[in-house]
Amino acid sequence: MSFTEKYNAIYNYVKQDVEQVKEEVVFKICGNKEFSQKFLEMFNAPSKHIRSVVSFLYLRATGIVIEKPQIKYQAVIELIHNGSLIHDDIIDNSDLRRGKTTFNKQFGTHMGVVAGDLILSYALKLIGEINNPKITNIISDTITDMCNGEIKQHFQQYEIPTLEEYIEKTYLKTGSLFKAAIEGGIEISQKSEYYVDAKNFAKLFGIAFQIRDDIKNITDNRKDSDIKNGIYTAPVIYSQNPDNPIAGIEKAKDLLSNYIEEAKKFLKNLPENEYKTALTELLGILKNE
């Protein structure tokens, strides 16, 4: 089976939960007629909603019953993710996102910034509805991390970072939102016995997810490649040559495998059930695609 087929089989375990998240997002966005159609085109483009999927799998594996606050919270995560993508496209001057014209290409940079901010404002509205100070702190810290990750990437542009700098930036830009997605879900349900393992698993999963994407950015010969934009990731770090990143691919794959194996360790204390099995399978397809 292809990656997509394997992923869809895993997705089906929490499909109803994710569909409710999508409905919550659509409900919030549709109040703005100028941007809603464009956002929904982007939101519903081929997209894995993987933050919600991995969160619901982990939460259900612990025995948590998914109720409305959990749905609202994962909608917050999806809104923050998509709002940040709009801003990323402006920073990268990208014309396409998931095969669709970007906000900045269609409406201009000014309106692109406003659209991204608007999406984030809907996330803030949902945070208020959840009404949990710890959740507010988690989200605030996460947005700070994401912004700091973007700043680090900017000042490292066209310079080969150390592996430690790359991992730190990868956590800040990508891993922190995965961590927030699961950490907040555990907090809402107050399953404190899983809190540490959940945070560690999510952090490692998020880093692994980004390393995999960085490898594919090179092996798939993407038109708007990281290297073209002066963003040097694991393959370049290992090859020490932006003109020959392929030389570092195998070591980058080893790095990915290490993070996946570390993430697996934080699943050991979960009860044995179909959701734990699905999480293990999800780690497997990240590694073996």
Side-chain angles (χ1 to χ4, degrees):
M1 287 195 295
S2 67
F3 176 88
T4 299
E5 290 170 331
K6 291 176 182 177
Y7 181 80
N8 286 341
I10 294 169
Y11 175 90
N12 285 334
Y13 285 104
V14 290
K15 181 177 180 178
Q16 291 184 345
D17 299 330
V18 178
E19 290 300 317
Q20 289 183 69
V21 171
K22 291 164 72 174
E23 288 173 9
E24 188 72 44
V25 169
V26 170
F27 177 76
K28 282 287 181 289
I29 295 299
C30 281
N32 185 283
K33 63 181 181 180
E34 287 81 10
F35 287 135
S36 61
Q37 183 176 354
K38 179 62 185 175
F39 176 81
L40 294 175
E41 176 188 278
M42 170 184 163
F43 185 67
N44 291 321
S47 172
K48 301 176 179 65
H49 301 289
I50 195 166
R51 289 155 191 81
S52 294
V53 169
V54 73
S55 298
F56 286 131
L57 286 173
Y58 197 99
L59 297 175
R60 284 192 173 276
T62 69
I64 289 173
V65 176
I66 304 302
E67 297 179 325
K68 193 64 174 179
Q70 296 284 5
I71 300 298
K72 286 179 179 288
Y73 183 69
Q74 295 305 321
V76 168
I77 298 297
E78 290 287 350
L79 286 165
I80 291 172
H81 172 58
N82 283 277
S84 71
L85 292 182
I86 295 172
H87 286 161
D88 282 351
D89 289 336
I90 295 167
I91 292 167
D92 297 338
N93 197 28
S94 298
D95 293 341
L96 294 174
R97 162 72 63 179
R98 297 169 184 161
K100 302 291 185 180
T101 304
T102 57
F103 272 81
N104 49 294
K105 179 66 175 179
Q106 181 168 339
F107 299 110
T109 299
H110 178 78
M111 281 295 100
V113 171
V114 172
D117 289 347
L118 181 65
I119 300 307
L120 293 174
S121 78
Y122 293 135
L124 293 176
K125 174 76 171 176
L126 277 171
I127 293 169
E129 292 175 12
I130 295 170
N131 192 27
N132 182 321
K134 289 186 178 180
I135 291 298
T136 303
N137 288 337
I138 289 170
I139 294 299
S140 175
D141 289 345
T142 301
I143 293 175
T144 299
D145 284 344
M146 293 170 71
C147 291
N148 280 329
E150 192 64 49
I151 290 168
K152 285 181 182 296
Q153 180 169 286
H154 173 79
F155 285 102
Q156 292 170 354
Q157 195 172 21
Y158 294 105
E159 296 179 1
I160 299 177
T162 65
L163 185 60
E164 291 74 18
E165 288 171 335
Y166 166 70
I167 293 298
E168 180 186 17
K169 185 262 292 184
T170 298
Y171 166 68
L172 291 172
K173 281 200 66 178
T174 304
S176 61
L177 192 58
F178 276 96
K179 182 170 78 71
I182 298 181
E183 179 184 8
I186 294 290
E187 175 60 42
I188 287 170
S189 294
Q190 298 183 333
K191 281 269 191 176
S192 58
E193 67 270 32
Y194 293 106
Y195 196 71
V196 174
D197 278 2
K199 289 200 298 182
N200 285 323
F201 169 79
K203 176 180 177 179
L204 292 164
F205 184 95
I207 293 172
F209 179 82
Q210 186 60 52
I211 294 171
R212 171 186 171 273
D213 191 66
D214 292 341
I215 292 170
K216 286 181 65 62
N217 185 273
I218 291 169
T219 58
D220 290 356
N221 293 312
R222 294 179 186 171
K223 182 179 179 181
D224 191 25
S225 69
D226 289 335
I227 292 175
K228 177 183 175 182
N229 293 319
I231 300 168
Y232 299 151
T233 58
V236 174
I237 293 170
Y238 284 118
S239 74
Q240 286 295 296
N241 184 355
D243 294 326
N244 186 24
I246 295 297
I249 288 292
E250 290 308 313
K251 286 187 176 180
K253 288 181 177 179
D254 289 341
L255 180 69
L256 171 60
S257 294
N258 289 341
Y259 272 90
I260 287 171
E261 291 306 313
E262 285 299 308
K264 283 182 182 178
K265 294 177 182 178
F266 294 101
L267 296 179
K268 288 182 179 179
N269 292 329
L270 290 174
E272 295 298 330
N273 52 48
E274 61 185 348
Y275 303 108
K276 178 180 179 179
T277 299
L279 284 168
T280 303
E281 290 173 352
L282 184 55
L283 286 170
I285 65 173
L286 286 186
K287 180 179 179 179
N288 296 321
E289 184 192 1

